[in-house]
Amino acid sequence: MSTAGFDPRAAGVAALAQALRARQLSSVEVTQALLAAVRREDQALGAFLHVDDERALAEARAADLRIAGGEGGPLTGVPVAHKDIFATDFARTRLPTTAGSKMLAGYASPFDATVVARLGPGSAGAGDGSGGGAGMVTLGKLNCDEFAMGSSNENSAYAPVRNPWDRTRVPGGSSGGSAAAVAARLVPAATGTDTGGSIRQPASFCGVTGIKPTYGLVSRWGMVAFASSLDQAGPLARSAEDCALLLSAMSGFDPRDATSAERPPVDLHAAMLQRREGATAARPLAGLRIGLPQEFFPPELAPDVAGAVRAALAEMEKLGAVLVDVSLPRTELSIPVYYIIAPAEASSNLSRYDGVRYGHRAAAAADLLEMYKKSRSEGFGAEVKRRVMIGTYVLSHGYYDAYYLQAQKLRRMIADDFQACFQRCDVVAGPVAPTVAWKLGAQADDPVKAYLADIFTLPASLAGLPGMSVPAGFAHSAAGDALPVGLQLIGNYFAEGTLLNAAHALQQATDWHLREPRR
Ligand code: GLN
């Protein structure tokens, strides 16, 4: 077998899987090529936190055997990298799980997250030797904001990640390593998590496709918790098709996550390909009603972002979609609502890091209380501490009713607003973020400025709805650099198939998602 004529870095997930099954090249060859690229190029980007070549190659050899035995599935042997918020069994993978925090430096998880197991080896006892997993090869773990708190990756305790389109800019966050690695063609797909936009916004800033599914579609078991009522996992890849393949394998009921939805498994790739009623080859989106909330196109929206989003919507119109005006009147309120609920849940979730069972423990402490205090002050970074303090405050006696309870009521109203929209349309669309990727350090001294930039991703998170970021062209910096813009598509509960179908049709007709940054 040779890789002659086939550049493993040029191919996405679907193309790679096909080449592997056709025995055009082996998973070992693909994995070797990507590992070499990571060694060569990632120093300038900082997307990977942990890589283990030998173990990755062993996984690739196992995948090759599975394919040779005729047991390869649609993802077998294709490399993937995981946001370092997913637990990876250390004994199996040699990969630590740090959540981008000093608190968990070197932490060796005794188990795999459900997402990791489903995409990779599966779990023991599947009966057919496959373990029931998709058989993807884990290339490594990806940098992220500490405990997924942030939107620029600058809150990582390890290193900032750089945007492959312009290395003086942020890749977005908190799944910044995931988006940067996929954009730089270091890996064809990555996992991410999205609590208030952390898959969609970095996908938008790095020009890749990402989907945050309906809350409950993907198991949170083994995902380091930030805000449990909002956290969801999803894929980032080059295309809607590749996202559909990964999301199908990741999703499904898991009894170990009490909020996991008990629904029959869905084939999202088939849903993505399904022809709409009344559609033709030229008009695949015939009859699709796309709702544009006026609040998603405020006058202060960056003109180049608005222009790119409108151009993508015009393409969808050409493909048969109908644009309708809708309203999400509480869009602005989603910022204070989210920044009360998410820190409240975070302050509770992070109370487990006390230096006793796992995580950083301060060296010298006179008594137990001092050990707690020192371990936490040394282990957590500034943004995490800020959120713990806000969360503790809004939950405290006397303030609970004024803040937390009000936020919960508004959260319900925001969800109701979406249901009113879905009376009039199938999909809600707008920008993912109000700007393109900003310069490293530009918002470092002003956390509120960063919070405000989450305005378009927070509503779907609060409502628990699926949201997708689709490359929609480019804005240009003063220096003339092309900076990607993302179109956001939001669907009703469990309508991931509709989103992927619409995005796929757009990607069949346009080539924004195929553009690559200079290597
Ligand atoms: N930027 C948001 C925050 O800082 C969202 C992060 C996320 O989705 N994990 O909380």
Side-chain angles (χ1 to χ4, degrees):
M1 256 182 290
S2 97
T3 51
F6 199 104
D7 174 5
R9 290 179 71 189
V13 173
L16 266 181
Q18 202 182 13
L20 289 170
R21 277 200 305 273
R23 317 289 306 274
Q24 265 175 286
L25 78 175
S26 68
S27 177
V28 167
E29 287 167 326
V30 175
T31 305
Q32 266 164 347
L34 297 187
L35 286 169
V38 170
R39 294 272 167 244
R40 224 174 24 242
E41 294 168 31
D42 193 46
Q43 256 181 6
L45 287 178
F48 281 82
L49 285 180
H50 327 291
V51 182
D52 183 273
D53 293 40
E54 262 177 58
R55 191 260 331 139
L57 288 167
E59 280 183 31
R61 276 192 292 277
D64 281 331
L65 284 176
R66 216 171 126 181
I67 296 168
E71 273 159 23
L75 293 169
T76 308
V78 177
V80 64
H82 295 295
K83 183 178 185 178
D84 202 19
I85 207 102
F86 293 93
T88 42
D89 183 339
F90 186 79
R92 182 181 73 77
T93 62
R94 318 304 302 169
L95 300 169
T97 302
T98 69
S101 181
K102 258 208 300 212
M103 183 58 95
L104 288 172
Y107 175 64
S109 166
F111 64 93
D112 282 323
T114 298
V115 163
V116 171
R118 286 192 176 163
L119 289 178
S123 36
D128 59 358
S130 73
M136 295 187 90
V137 173
T138 299
L139 206 63
K141 303 286 290 287
L142 296 161
N143 207 341
C144 57
D145 282 305
E146 183 173 8
F147 289 104
M149 297 174 188
S151 36
S152 69
N153 227 286
E154 290 164 296
N155 296 337
S156 165
Y158 297 98
V161 179
R162 289 166 187 277
N163 191 316
W165 291 91
D166 174 352
R167 290 181 191 160
T168 67
R169 289 174 192 267
V170 302
S174 63
S175 314
S178 308
V182 172
R185 305 314 193 225
L186 296 176
V187 70
T191 55
T193 60
D194 190 313
T195 304
S198 277
I199 290 174
R200 291 161 285 162
Q201 184 258 22
S204 161
F205 279 14
C206 290
V208 303
T209 307
I211 181 164
K212 174 202 97 78
T214 307
Y215 183 81
L217 186 77
V218 175
S219 169
R220 292 183 295 108
W221 169 261
M223 242 166 73
V224 177
F226 164 12
S228 305
S229 77
L230 296 155
D231 296 344
Q232 261 297 292
L236 295 95
R238 292 179 208 174
S239 65
E241 173 167 35
D242 290 356
C243 283
L245 290 171
L246 264 89
L247 189 54
S248 292
M250 290 164 74
S251 59
F253 177 62
D254 179 5
R256 290 170 300 186
D257 171 2
T259 59
S260 159
E262 268 193 88
R263 296 167 65 89
V266 277
D267 180 347
L268 291 169
H269 191 256
M272 178 203 85
L273 290 174
Q274 191 158 21
R275 183 171 256 206
R276 306 179 51 80
E277 220 183 281
T280 61
R283 294 171 62 81
L285 297 182
L288 182 78
R289 287 167 307 159
I290 301 179
L292 307 183
Q294 59 189 84
E295 296 81 1
F296 277 32
F297 296 88
E300 58 275 20
L301 184 63
D304 41 11
V305 170
V309 167
R310 297 244 182 233
L313 290 167
E315 287 294 331
M316 294 179 89
E317 251 185 318
K318 277 192 224 158
L319 299 172
V322 180
L323 306 183
V324 300
D325 290 325
V326 294
S327 175
L328 288 169
R330 293 174 184 86
T331 296
E332 270 185 23
L333 283 174
S334 63
I335 298 169
V337 169
Y338 173 87
Y339 280 99
I340 287 169
I341 292 175
E345 294 184 15
S347 70
S348 162
N349 272 327
L350 296 186
S351 64
R352 72 189 59 169
Y353 302 101
D354 55 9
V356 178
R357 261 169 67 108
Y358 44 69
H360 174 74
R361 180 185 295 176
D367 55 31
L368 185 65
L369 196 62
E370 193 187 303
M371 196 268 282
Y372 288 161
K373 283 189 191 166
K374 274 190 150 179
S375 301
R376 288 170 69 81
S377 10
E378 291 170 8
F380 289 144
E383 182 61 28
V384 174
K385 286 178 185 158
R386 185 177 296 124
R387 305 226 183 172
V388 169
M389 286 190 278
I390 294 171
T392 311
Y393 179 82
V394 299
L395 288 175
S396 61
H397 183 72
Y399 294 107
Y400 181 90
D401 290 359
Y403 295 110
Y404 187 71
L405 212 60
Q406 290 300 321
Q408 292 290 15
K409 288 181 187 165
L410 279 162
R411 181 179 186 176
R412 163 45 65 100
M413 293 164 99
I414 289 165
D416 290 346
D417 290 344
F418 272 108
Q419 290 314 306
C421 283
F422 288 126
Q423 298 288 318
R424 310 198 47 225
C425 63
D426 308 298
V427 168
V428 167
V432 173
T435 63
V436 291
W438 55 82
K439 291 268 186 190
L440 279 150
Q443 306 202 343
D445 54 347
D446 189 354
V448 174
K449 220 163 127 192
Y451 299 171
L452 292 175
D454 291 340
I455 182 161
F456 302 133
T457 48
L458 298 178
S461 297
L462 289 165
L465 294 166
M468 191 165 181
S469 178
V470 188
F474 296 83
H476 290 271
S477 72
D481 289 317
L483 298 168
V485 175
L487 165 74
Q488 183 174 206
L489 300 176
I490 300 169
N492 212 340
Y493 299 110
F494 300 105
E496 283 79 8
T498 308
L499 297 184
L500 291 161
N501 186 279
H504 180 64
L506 178 65
Q507 292 184 340
Q508 293 299 103
T510 57
D511 70 352
W512 293 309
H513 64 298
L514 300 176
R515 311 267 182 93
E516 307 184 15
R518 272 192 305 274
R519 283 187 205 153

